[in-house]
Amino acid sequence: MTEKQFNKAFNAFVLVGMAVVTVLVTAVKFRSAEEGQWLLVISALGALAGVLSTVLSANGRILTFLFGFIDVSIYGAMCLAGARYGNAALHLLYFLPMQLVGFFQWKKRGADRDDEVKARRLDSRQRRLFSALFLLGLLISYFVLEAMDKTEAAGVVKWLVLMDAFSMMCNLLGQYLLSTAYMEQWFFWIGVNVASVAMWVLTLRQDPSSAYAVIYIVKYSFYFINSLNGLRIWLRLSRPGQN
């Protein structure tokens, strides 16, 4: 099997798998939920747009920003509904405008409907800088979000708040690196997906009536699989002499 054939098969698996699971979960939860059915439907539509956006992103296609705009709009609203204020602010105040930034940046780097973006890699100094920014941002955002959190949680660390802060910082740096076409974005996306699954699992455990949380657990599980493939593809796209 050639790489092109593998990518087509993998993309079909992620897209079809996500669509089937999302429809099934939505149908089951819709029938059993006493309220919030409209949140389920909207969440499902956003999840489908999001997985299409991530598949396009993994393959270096500029249409990722069109479906990303739809996804982050809906997800930001759902985070507000679930009291995940860090992710809500991140998506509505940062991700939305960054979709436009990314679109024009990728256009400058040769991406269009048919051609892949010309990817690049951070140098050693830039990697140290982004690592320091991540650790500093994680520390600051945790204490800010912890001060805003009104839930009762045992222990020194509030794990739901920590996952929210971790996901927020990975999203923040990952989106910047995505919009500027750097390969290292995928390390942050892997972190986003792991943290987001944990965050929504904890949300569901604390409030079993949050039926829409199940959709996001499924969504970020598929995202995690796709992010591993995205890292593989972008390692090739950003290889010296590739573009």
Side-chain angles (χ1 to χ4, degrees):
M1 178 182 290
T2 65
E3 180 175 358
K4 186 175 182 180
Q5 291 173 328
F6 173 81
N7 286 337
K8 285 184 176 181
F10 187 90
N11 294 341
F13 164 74
V14 173
L15 291 172
V16 173
M18 180 67 181
V20 170
V21 173
T22 299
V23 170
L24 290 176
V25 170
T26 302
V28 171
K29 290 295 182 178
F30 189 89
R31 294 182 61 184
S32 61
E34 296 181 358
E35 58 183 16
Q37 287 92 341
W38 65 275
L39 291 177
L40 280 169
V41 176
I42 294 175
S43 297
L45 294 175
L48 293 176
V51 76
L52 182 55
S53 174
T54 60
V55 167
L56 290 168
S57 173
N59 288 271
R61 303 298 182 179
I62 198 169
L63 284 177
T64 180
F65 297 107
L66 170 62
F67 294 99
F69 189 91
I70 298 172
D71 175 40
V72 299
S73 299
I74 294 175
Y75 186 68
M78 292 303 103
C79 284
L80 280 177
R84 303 279 68 82
Y85 301 115
N87 272 275
L90 178 70
H91 281 73
L92 297 177
L93 301 180
Y94 177 68
F95 269 24
L96 280 181
M98 285 300 286
Q99 303 308 306
L100 298 177
V101 172
F103 178 83
F104 290 110
Q105 285 292 317
W106 280 35
K107 287 285 287 185
K108 291 181 180 179
R109 298 192 62 79
D112 57 29
R113 185 172 181 179
D114 300 313
D115 294 327
E116 300 169 331
V117 67
K118 295 178 180 178
R120 49 187 171 174
R121 299 186 185 186
L122 299 174
D123 59 31
S124 58
R125 182 187 64 82
Q126 290 172 317
R127 290 180 181 178
R128 290 193 297 270
L129 174 61
F130 274 89
S131 296
L133 286 174
F134 173 76
L135 293 175
L136 179 62
L138 178 62
L139 183 65
I140 294 173
S141 59
Y142 172 79
F143 285 109
V144 171
L145 294 175
E146 193 274 337
M148 296 171 58
D149 186 64
K150 303 302 181 182
T151 61
E152 296 293 333
V156 177
V157 177
K158 290 186 176 182
W159 291 104
L160 186 55
V161 176
L162 179 61
M163 291 300 99
D164 196 11
F166 185 88
S167 175
M168 183 176 72
M169 287 309 304
C170 285
N171 267 304
L172 191 67
L173 297 180
Q175 179 62 59
Y176 176 82
L177 294 173
L178 165 63
S179 295
T180 50
Y182 281 100
M183 175 275 295
E184 286 79 4
Q185 62 172 290
W186 292 103
F187 296 114
F188 289 108
W189 292 138
I190 291 171
V192 167
N193 298 329
V194 172
S196 294
V197 169
M199 184 181 74
W200 288 109
V201 167
L202 289 172
T203 298
L204 193 61
R205 288 181 61 183
Q206 287 188 1
D207 182 11
S209 65
S210 301
Y212 57 88
V214 177
I215 291 178
Y216 288 115
I217 294 172
V218 174
K219 169 185 172 179
Y220 282 101
S221 296
F222 274 94
Y223 276 19
F224 174 72
I225 297 172
N226 184 69
S227 62
L228 296 178
N229 191 50
L231 177 60
R232 181 188 66 84
I233 293 173
W234 279 64
L235 283 170
R236 173 183 61 82
L237 292 177
S238 62
R239 188 178 302 135
Q242 176 65 30
N243 296 306

